[in-house]
Amino acid sequence: MDMEGAEEELERRSKFLSSLIEKKKALEQHHHQHLQNDDEQLMMNVRVRAADMPLPLQNQAFRCATHSLNSMPNNKLDSKRLALTLKKEFDSLYGPAWHCIVGTSFGSYVTHSLGGFLYFSIDKVHILLFRTAVEPLNQ
């Protein structure tokens, strides 16, 4: 192959690779927008009632609760399952000791660790998620 032919082949391959990269970028952007729209759709019914918690943790709680609610059979609320799911998620991601109360009607008065309190609702389901300090027992 002569030099001119090699340059033409190189140019052809370069254009092909560029087109693949552009297609991949377009697909990723479309996918990201789709996910963002899904998140916005899921979060539409979330209402924060009271919070002492960083926003990333709040968003994690909203995502986890929404996903759990949407996966319940026949859209029937299982309060214990939702509470357990949130508690386990937060214990595993952020350490112990998280507590979760879920229901459509309840009162509460709790002491929580700094930055570890979130009371929110999704539709008619109210969720109280809070963290307490864990101290070793003196023996």
Side-chain angles (χ1 to χ4, degrees):
M1 186 181 277
D2 64 356
M3 219 30 197
E4 195 173 297
E7 285 178 3
E8 287 175 8
E9 180 64 15
L10 191 60
E11 181 68 25
R12 186 186 68 76
R13 289 182 181 189
S14 178
K15 285 181 180 175
F16 176 71
L17 288 173
S18 291
S19 74
L20 286 178
I21 290 168
E22 287 304 311
K23 285 179 187 173
K24 186 174 189 289
K25 282 182 182 174
L27 275 173
E28 284 174 349
Q29 187 173 10
H30 175 75
H31 182 69
H32 178 73
Q33 286 174 337
H34 186 68
L35 286 176
Q36 199 170 15
N37 290 342
D38 284 351
D39 269 359
E40 287 169 6
Q41 190 69 33
L42 291 174
M43 302 302 174
M44 273 185 8
N45 300 325
V46 173
R47 186 169 163 199
V48 175
R49 306 295 176 146
D52 171 22
M53 181 181 284
L55 284 175
L57 273 73
Q58 289 183 40
N59 288 328
Q60 180 63 28
F62 304 152
R63 276 192 298 274
C64 181
T66 303
H67 177 75
S68 183
L69 282 168
N70 288 338
S71 69
M72 290 184 183
N74 305 322
N75 287 336
K76 185 166 175 8
L77 175 63
D78 183 343
S79 299
K80 281 185 181 181
R81 184 172 139 196
L82 177 54
L84 180 64
T85 300
L86 274 165
K87 184 215 176 351
K88 282 187 169 185
E89 173 88 357
F90 272 67
D91 277 346
S92 69
L93 289 176
Y94 310 110
W98 290 90
H99 311 276
C100 189
I101 300 167
V102 175
T104 53
S105 176
F106 63 86
S108 68
Y109 195 90
V110 301
T111 301
H112 65 88
S113 297
L114 188 63
F117 178 88
L118 180 61
Y119 179 44
F120 67 104
S121 62
I122 301 176
D123 294 327
K124 301 214 180 304
V125 180
H126 291 255
I127 300 160
L128 175 60
L129 179 65
F130 63 100
R131 185 181 203 178
T132 58
V134 179
E135 296 177 19
L137 294 172
N138 292 333
Q139 294 181 344

